Tab-separated table of all heavy atoms in Angstrom:
chain	number	residue	atom	x	y	z
E	1	THR	N	160.125	192.748	-112.396
E	1	THR	CA	160.913	193.843	-112.970
E	1	THR	C	159.997	194.771	-113.747
E	1	THR	O	160.061	195.998	-113.598
E	1	THR	CB	162.017	193.299	-113.901
E	1	THR	OG1	162.852	192.405	-113.176
E	1	THR	CG2	162.840	194.425	-114.509
E	2	ALA	N	159.136	194.199	-114.575
E	2	ALA	CA	158.212	195.011	-115.375
E	2	ALA	C	157.300	195.838	-114.473
E	2	ALA	O	157.112	197.036	-114.695
E	2	ALA	CB	157.395	194.116	-116.304
E	3	ARG	N	156.743	195.210	-113.440
E	3	ARG	CA	155.860	195.942	-112.514
E	3	ARG	C	156.610	197.054	-111.790
E	3	ARG	O	156.109	198.177	-111.661
E	3	ARG	CB	155.266	194.980	-111.497
E	3	ARG	CG	154.247	194.027	-112.069
E	3	ARG	CD	153.673	193.108	-110.973
E	3	ARG	NE	152.929	192.028	-111.547
E	3	ARG	CZ	153.413	190.791	-111.762
E	3	ARG	NH1	154.649	190.491	-111.396
E	3	ARG	NH2	152.661	189.872	-112.315
E	4	ARG	N	157.809	196.746	-111.296
E	4	ARG	CA	158.607	197.744	-110.571
E	4	ARG	C	158.958	198.919	-111.471
E	4	ARG	O	158.789	200.089	-111.096
E	4	ARG	CB	159.874	197.086	-110.009
E	4	ARG	CG	160.808	198.076	-109.308
E	4	ARG	CD	162.052	197.404	-108.766
E	4	ARG	NE	162.783	196.607	-109.731
E	4	ARG	CZ	163.577	197.106	-110.681
E	4	ARG	NH1	163.733	198.416	-110.826
E	4	ARG	NH2	164.224	196.287	-111.503
E	5	GLU	N	159.449	198.617	-112.672
E	5	GLU	CA	159.844	199.690	-113.588
E	5	GLU	C	158.646	200.530	-114.021
E	5	GLU	O	158.751	201.747	-114.122
E	5	GLU	CB	160.575	199.115	-114.803
E	5	GLU	CG	161.948	198.556	-114.486
E	5	GLU	CD	162.993	199.603	-114.141
E	5	GLU	OE1	162.752	200.819	-114.326
E	5	GLU	OE2	164.075	199.199	-113.675
E	6	LEU	N	157.515	199.892	-114.255
E	6	LEU	CA	156.320	200.642	-114.635
E	6	LEU	C	155.934	201.623	-113.526
E	6	LEU	O	155.639	202.793	-113.792
E	6	LEU	CB	155.158	199.694	-114.949
E	6	LEU	CG	153.900	200.339	-115.499
E	6	LEU	CD1	154.163	201.027	-116.841
E	6	LEU	CD2	152.794	199.306	-115.640
E	7	TYR	N	155.976	201.164	-112.284
E	7	TYR	CA	155.657	202.050	-111.167
E	7	TYR	C	156.721	203.147	-111.010
E	7	TYR	O	156.399	204.327	-110.907
E	7	TYR	CB	155.525	201.263	-109.857
E	7	TYR	CG	155.437	202.188	-108.672
E	7	TYR	CD1	154.282	202.930	-108.445
E	7	TYR	CD2	156.522	202.374	-107.822
E	7	TYR	CE1	154.206	203.823	-107.389
E	7	TYR	CE2	156.451	203.264	-106.768
E	7	TYR	CZ	155.293	203.990	-106.559
E	7	TYR	OH	155.230	204.890	-105.525
E	8	GLU	N	157.997	202.754	-110.975
E	8	GLU	CA	159.065	203.726	-110.746
E	8	GLU	C	159.101	204.810	-111.819
E	8	GLU	O	159.341	205.978	-111.514
E	8	GLU	CB	160.428	203.032	-110.712
E	8	GLU	CG	160.680	202.229	-109.461
E	8	GLU	CD	162.006	201.503	-109.472
E	8	GLU	OE1	162.785	201.617	-110.450
E	8	GLU	OE2	162.282	200.799	-108.489
E	9	GLU	N	158.866	204.421	-113.066
E	9	GLU	CA	159.052	205.370	-114.161
E	9	GLU	C	157.790	206.118	-114.569
E	9	GLU	O	157.884	207.142	-115.238
E	9	GLU	CB	159.677	204.661	-115.357
E	9	GLU	CG	161.072	204.158	-114.996
E	9	GLU	CD	161.937	203.816	-116.186
E	9	GLU	OE1	161.423	203.783	-117.325
E	9	GLU	OE2	163.133	203.585	-115.962
E	10	THR	N	156.621	205.627	-114.155
E	10	THR	CA	155.379	206.325	-114.524
E	10	THR	C	154.514	206.666	-113.322
E	10	THR	O	153.601	207.474	-113.448
E	10	THR	CB	154.517	205.489	-115.486
E	10	THR	OG1	153.996	204.351	-114.790
E	10	THR	CG2	155.305	205.057	-116.714
E	11	GLY	N	154.746	206.015	-112.190
E	11	GLY	CA	153.862	206.192	-111.049
E	11	GLY	C	152.563	205.429	-111.195
E	11	GLY	O	151.590	205.702	-110.485
E	12	ALA	N	152.526	204.445	-112.093
E	12	ALA	CA	151.305	203.663	-112.317
E	12	ALA	C	150.906	202.924	-111.045
E	12	ALA	O	151.696	202.179	-110.478
E	12	ALA	CB	151.512	202.666	-113.451
E	13	LEU	N	149.683	203.161	-110.601
E	13	LEU	CA	149.155	202.497	-109.406
E	13	LEU	C	148.169	201.387	-109.760
E	13	LEU	O	148.111	200.364	-109.099
E	13	LEU	CB	148.456	203.515	-108.501
E	13	LEU	CG	149.337	204.574	-107.868
E	13	LEU	CD1	148.481	205.602	-107.139
E	13	LEU	CD2	150.343	203.938	-106.921
E	14	ALA	N	147.375	201.612	-110.786
E	14	ALA	CA	146.383	200.622	-111.222
E	14	ALA	C	146.585	200.390	-112.719
E	14	ALA	O	146.637	201.347	-113.500
E	14	ALA	CB	144.965	201.113	-110.954
E	15	TYR	N	146.713	199.124	-113.091
E	15	TYR	CA	146.983	198.799	-114.488
E	15	TYR	C	146.780	197.311	-114.733
E	15	TYR	O	146.745	196.517	-113.794
E	15	TYR	CB	148.419	199.187	-114.874
E	15	TYR	CG	149.464	198.583	-113.974
E	15	TYR	CD1	149.976	197.300	-114.222
E	15	TYR	CD2	149.943	199.274	-112.874
E	15	TYR	CE1	150.928	196.735	-113.379
E	15	TYR	CE2	150.897	198.723	-112.043
E	15	TYR	CZ	151.393	197.458	-112.300
E	15	TYR	OH	152.331	196.906	-111.474
E	16	THR	N	146.657	196.976	-116.007
E	16	THR	CA	146.742	195.579	-116.426
E	16	THR	C	148.065	195.454	-117.164
E	16	THR	O	148.480	196.379	-117.874
E	16	THR	CB	145.588	195.167	-117.353
E	16	THR	OG1	145.604	196.013	-118.499
E	16	THR	CG2	144.257	195.271	-116.635
E	17	LEU	N	148.725	194.327	-116.988
E	17	LEU	CA	150.037	194.100	-117.595
E	17	LEU	C	150.030	192.746	-118.273
E	17	LEU	O	149.657	191.749	-117.649
E	17	LEU	CB	151.124	194.152	-116.516
E	17	LEU	CG	152.543	193.918	-116.983
E	17	LEU	CD1	153.064	195.145	-117.728
E	17	LEU	CD2	153.444	193.617	-115.798
E	18	GLN	N	150.410	192.720	-119.534
E	18	GLN	CA	150.455	191.471	-120.294
E	18	GLN	C	151.840	191.285	-120.902
E	18	GLN	O	152.323	192.187	-121.602
E	18	GLN	CB	149.463	191.505	-121.450
E	18	GLN	CG	148.027	191.438	-121.065
E	18	GLN	CD	147.188	191.451	-122.324
E	18	GLN	OE1	146.869	192.505	-122.843
E	18	GLN	NE2	146.853	190.276	-122.819
E	19	PRO	N	152.460	190.123	-120.688
E	19	PRO	CA	153.686	189.830	-121.439
E	19	PRO	C	153.331	189.680	-122.922
E	19	PRO	O	152.281	189.109	-123.249
E	19	PRO	CB	154.159	188.498	-120.866
E	19	PRO	CG	153.374	188.284	-119.622
E	19	PRO	CD	152.108	189.070	-119.757
E	20	VAL	N	154.162	190.195	-123.794
E	20	VAL	CA	153.928	190.117	-125.234
E	20	VAL	C	154.852	189.080	-125.863
E	20	VAL	O	154.403	188.154	-126.518
E	20	VAL	CB	154.142	191.493	-125.904
E	20	VAL	CG1	154.047	191.396	-127.418
E	20	VAL	CG2	153.166	192.515	-125.355
E	21	CYS	N	156.160	189.251	-125.666
E	21	CYS	CA	157.152	188.349	-126.229
E	21	CYS	C	158.505	188.675	-125.613
E	21	CYS	O	158.643	189.616	-124.843
E	21	CYS	CB	157.219	188.457	-127.752
E	21	CYS	SG	157.788	190.059	-128.357
E	22	PHE	N	159.484	187.899	-125.994
E	22	PHE	CA	160.857	188.161	-125.590
E	22	PHE	C	161.562	188.806	-126.769
E	22	PHE	O	161.188	188.591	-127.918
E	22	PHE	CB	161.552	186.855	-125.184
E	22	PHE	CG	160.835	186.173	-124.057
E	22	PHE	CD1	159.942	185.144	-124.305
E	22	PHE	CD2	161.029	186.591	-122.747
E	22	PHE	CE1	159.263	184.526	-123.269
E	22	PHE	CE2	160.346	185.984	-121.711
E	22	PHE	CZ	159.465	184.950	-121.972
E	23	TYR	N	162.566	189.613	-126.470
E	23	TYR	CA	163.321	190.267	-127.533
E	23	TYR	C	164.796	190.220	-127.174
E	23	TYR	O	165.163	189.982	-126.021
E	23	TYR	CB	162.852	191.715	-127.735
E	23	TYR	CG	163.209	192.621	-126.590
E	23	TYR	CD1	164.388	193.371	-126.606
E	23	TYR	CD2	162.395	192.722	-125.471
E	23	TYR	CE1	164.730	194.187	-125.541
E	23	TYR	CE2	162.735	193.530	-124.413
E	23	TYR	CZ	163.908	194.268	-124.452
E	23	TYR	OH	164.246	195.058	-123.391
E	24	SER	N	165.616	190.431	-128.171
E	24	SER	CA	167.048	190.560	-127.906
E	24	SER	C	167.579	191.733	-128.698
E	24	SER	O	167.019	192.127	-129.725
E	24	SER	CB	167.806	189.285	-128.269
E	24	SER	OG	167.902	189.147	-129.669
E	25	VAL	N	168.653	192.297	-128.175
E	25	VAL	CA	169.333	193.407	-128.834
E	25	VAL	C	170.814	193.067	-128.890
E	25	VAL	O	171.394	192.634	-127.893
E	25	VAL	CB	169.124	194.732	-128.064
E	25	VAL	CG1	169.908	195.870	-128.714
E	25	VAL	CG2	167.646	195.079	-127.976
E	26	THR	N	171.398	193.267	-130.052
E	26	THR	CA	172.838	193.109	-130.218
E	26	THR	C	173.376	194.412	-130.781
E	26	THR	O	172.909	194.878	-131.829
E	26	THR	CB	173.169	191.943	-131.181
E	26	THR	OG1	172.502	190.775	-130.723
E	26	THR	CG2	174.666	191.692	-131.228
E	27	VAL	N	174.315	195.011	-130.055
E	27	VAL	CA	174.943	196.256	-130.465
E	27	VAL	C	176.449	196.047	-130.349
E	27	VAL	O	176.928	195.675	-129.273
E	27	VAL	CB	174.505	197.438	-129.569
E	27	VAL	CG1	175.104	198.745	-130.063
E	27	VAL	CG2	172.997	197.544	-129.499
E	28	PRO	N	177.197	196.289	-131.405
E	28	PRO	CA	178.630	196.001	-131.369
E	28	PRO	C	179.379	196.686	-130.220
E	28	PRO	O	180.290	196.098	-129.643
E	28	PRO	CB	179.137	196.519	-132.720
E	28	PRO	CG	177.942	196.493	-133.607
E	28	PRO	CD	176.759	196.761	-132.719
E	29	ASP	N	178.976	197.905	-129.858
E	29	ASP	CA	179.722	198.634	-128.819
E	29	ASP	C	179.039	198.622	-127.447
E	29	ASP	O	179.312	199.462	-126.608
E	29	ASP	CB	179.967	200.078	-129.266
E	29	ASP	CG	178.680	200.849	-129.506
E	29	ASP	OD1	177.601	200.233	-129.509
E	29	ASP	OD2	178.764	202.078	-129.692
E	30	ASN	N	178.155	197.647	-127.220
E	30	ASN	CA	177.467	197.547	-125.932
E	30	ASN	C	177.462	196.089	-125.488
E	30	ASN	O	177.229	195.200	-126.301
E	30	ASN	CB	176.039	198.074	-126.081
E	30	ASN	CG	175.487	198.636	-124.802
E	30	ASN	OD1	176.043	198.464	-123.730
E	30	ASN	ND2	174.358	199.313	-124.913
E	31	PHE	N	177.705	195.837	-124.219
E	31	PHE	CA	177.746	194.476	-123.677
E	31	PHE	C	178.711	193.594	-124.481
E	31	PHE	O	178.423	192.444	-124.769
E	31	PHE	CB	176.347	193.842	-123.636
E	31	PHE	CG	175.407	194.536	-122.705
E	31	PHE	CD1	174.418	195.371	-123.200
E	31	PHE	CD2	175.509	194.370	-121.332
E	31	PHE	CE1	173.549	196.026	-122.351
E	31	PHE	CE2	174.634	195.021	-120.477
E	31	PHE	CZ	173.657	195.849	-120.982
E	32	ASP	N	179.842	194.181	-124.864
E	32	ASP	CA	180.871	193.462	-125.636
E	32	ASP	C	180.314	192.837	-126.904
E	32	ASP	O	180.796	191.806	-127.369
E	32	ASP	CB	181.543	192.389	-124.768
E	32	ASP	CG	182.274	192.983	-123.583
E	32	ASP	OD1	182.886	194.064	-123.749
E	32	ASP	OD2	182.228	192.376	-122.497
E	33	GLY	N	179.278	193.427	-127.464
E	33	GLY	CA	178.695	192.935	-128.703
E	33	GLY	C	177.834	191.693	-128.541
E	33	GLY	O	177.378	191.121	-129.526
E	34	ARG	N	177.592	191.295	-127.272
E	34	ARG	CA	176.775	190.087	-127.033
E	34	ARG	C	175.287	190.406	-127.155
E	34	ARG	O	174.850	191.513	-126.843
E	34	ARG	CB	177.056	189.528	-125.636
E	34	ARG	CG	178.434	188.922	-125.488
E	34	ARG	CD	178.599	188.431	-124.084
E	34	ARG	NE	178.105	189.508	-123.206
E	34	ARG	CZ	178.612	189.815	-122.033
E	34	ARG	NH1	179.569	189.126	-121.530
E	34	ARG	NH2	178.126	190.810	-121.330
E	35	GLU	N	174.540	189.396	-127.537
E	35	GLU	CA	173.086	189.492	-127.600
E	35	GLU	C	172.551	189.563	-126.167
E	35	GLU	O	172.895	188.726	-125.340
E	35	GLU	CB	172.540	188.255	-128.327
E	35	GLU	CG	171.070	188.274	-128.589
E	35	GLU	CD	170.612	187.055	-129.389
E	35	GLU	OE1	171.267	185.997	-129.327
E	35	GLU	OE2	169.580	187.175	-130.062
E	36	THR	N	171.735	190.577	-125.866
E	36	THR	CA	171.122	190.704	-124.540
E	36	THR	C	169.611	190.560	-124.700
E	36	THR	O	169.042	190.978	-125.709
E	36	THR	CB	171.458	192.042	-123.865
E	36	THR	OG1	171.045	193.114	-124.712
E	36	THR	CG2	172.949	192.154	-123.586
E	37	PHE	N	168.974	189.985	-123.692
E	37	PHE	CA	167.571	189.606	-123.794
E	37	PHE	C	166.695	190.370	-122.812
E	37	PHE	O	167.137	190.739	-121.718
E	37	PHE	CB	167.415	188.110	-123.520
E	37	PHE	CG	168.002	187.245	-124.588
E	37	PHE	CD1	169.360	186.956	-124.590
E	37	PHE	CD2	167.207	186.740	-125.602
E	37	PHE	CE1	169.915	186.167	-125.581
E	37	PHE	CE2	167.753	185.941	-126.599
E	37	PHE	CZ	169.108	185.661	-126.586
E	38	GLY	N	165.436	190.554	-123.219
E	38	GLY	CA	164.473	191.208	-122.351
E	38	GLY	C	163.060	190.704	-122.613
E	38	GLY	O	162.822	189.942	-123.553
E	39	LEU	N	162.152	191.154	-121.771
E	39	LEU	CA	160.733	190.849	-121.903
E	39	LEU	C	160.015	192.122	-122.337
E	39	LEU	O	160.199	193.178	-121.732
E	39	LEU	CB	160.166	190.373	-120.566
E	39	LEU	CG	158.651	190.172	-120.509
E	39	LEU	CD1	158.223	189.002	-121.401
E	39	LEU	CD2	158.193	189.938	-119.075
E	40	LEU	N	159.212	192.014	-123.380
E	40	LEU	CA	158.368	193.119	-123.824
E	40	LEU	C	156.968	192.887	-123.278
E	40	LEU	O	156.407	191.798	-123.436
E	40	LEU	CB	158.331	193.174	-125.353
E	40	LEU	CG	157.364	194.192	-125.972
E	40	LEU	CD1	157.708	195.616	-125.547
E	40	LEU	CD2	157.375	194.051	-127.498
E	41	CYS	N	156.414	193.898	-122.622
E	41	CYS	CA	155.062	193.826	-122.065
E	41	CYS	C	154.215	194.965	-122.609
E	41	CYS	O	154.734	195.960	-123.116
E	41	CYS	CB	155.100	193.950	-120.539
E	41	CYS	SG	155.895	192.584	-119.697
E	42	TYR	N	152.910	194.799	-122.450
E	42	TYR	CA	151.961	195.859	-122.781
E	42	TYR	C	151.114	196.113	-121.545
E	42	TYR	O	150.688	195.173	-120.867
E	42	TYR	CB	151.067	195.453	-123.951
E	42	TYR	CG	150.032	196.498	-124.268
E	42	TYR	CD1	150.405	197.694	-124.875
E	42	TYR	CD2	148.709	196.308	-123.938
E	42	TYR	CE1	149.458	198.671	-125.151
E	42	TYR	CE2	147.754	197.277	-124.215
E	42	TYR	CZ	148.140	198.454	-124.812
E	42	TYR	OH	147.217	199.433	-125.078
E	43	ALA	N	150.879	197.395	-121.239
E	43	ALA	CA	150.081	197.749	-120.069
E	43	ALA	C	149.028	198.790	-120.434
E	43	ALA	O	149.263	199.649	-121.283
E	43	ALA	CB	150.976	198.301	-118.959
E	44	GLU	N	147.900	198.679	-119.764
E	44	GLU	CA	146.856	199.712	-119.796
E	44	GLU	C	146.805	200.280	-118.388
E	44	GLU	O	146.465	199.565	-117.434
E	44	GLU	CB	145.503	199.105	-120.166
E	44	GLU	CG	145.394	198.658	-121.598
E	44	GLU	CD	145.024	199.779	-122.556
E	44	GLU	OE1	144.653	200.881	-122.101
E	44	GLU	OE2	145.116	199.520	-123.760
E	45	ILE	N	147.161	201.558	-118.245
E	45	ILE	CA	147.222	202.207	-116.936
E	45	ILE	C	145.926	202.973	-116.696
E	45	ILE	O	145.478	203.733	-117.558
E	45	ILE	CB	148.432	203.164	-116.853
E	45	ILE	CG1	149.730	202.398	-117.132
E	45	ILE	CG2	148.480	203.853	-115.489
E	45	ILE	CD1	150.951	203.291	-117.291
E	46	THR	N	145.344	202.788	-115.500
E	46	THR	CA	144.096	203.483	-115.176
E	46	THR	C	144.253	204.485	-114.031
E	46	THR	O	143.360	205.300	-113.814
E	46	THR	CB	142.977	202.482	-114.832
E	46	THR	OG1	143.426	201.609	-113.803
E	46	THR	CG2	142.595	201.661	-116.060
E	47	ALA	N	145.369	204.430	-113.301
E	47	ALA	CA	145.595	205.401	-112.229
E	47	ALA	C	147.089	205.607	-112.016
E	47	ALA	O	147.865	204.650	-112.025
E	47	ALA	CB	144.955	204.922	-110.926
E	48	PHE	N	147.463	206.884	-111.823
E	48	PHE	CA	148.857	207.266	-111.586
E	48	PHE	C	149.010	207.899	-110.204
E	48	PHE	O	148.104	208.599	-109.736
E	48	PHE	CB	149.312	208.323	-112.597
E	48	PHE	CG	149.441	207.846	-114.002
E	48	PHE	CD1	148.388	207.975	-114.894
E	48	PHE	CD2	150.628	207.296	-114.460
E	48	PHE	CE1	148.503	207.569	-116.214
E	48	PHE	CE2	150.756	206.877	-115.773
E	48	PHE	CZ	149.701	207.016	-116.652
């Protein structure tokens, strides 16, 4: 997912990608107020 989204949203062709941590977001008026989870990554892009 991270690789696909990085390419789709930036056009990144060459990069390093590192998982950083997991995160969650809870918003009362989104996803019925449930905690939703994701992966936070860091990338260094060298070609677009």
Side-chain angles (χ1 to χ4, degrees):
T1 303
R3 290 181 192 97
R4 177 180 52 77
E5 290 290 349
L6 186 62
Y7 170 72
E8 287 178 1
E9 296 197 350
T10 69
L13 294 173
Y15 55 86
T16 58
L17 179 74
Q18 289 181 274
V20 174
C21 65
F22 301 98
Y23 69 93
S24 73
V25 177
T26 307
V27 183
D29 61 350
N30 208 348
F31 295 104
D32 297 322
R34 290 179 314 215
E35 186 176 26
T36 57
F37 291 83
L39 173 67
L40 174 60
C41 294
Y42 177 72
E44 289 276 350
I45 303 171
T46 54
F48 291 93

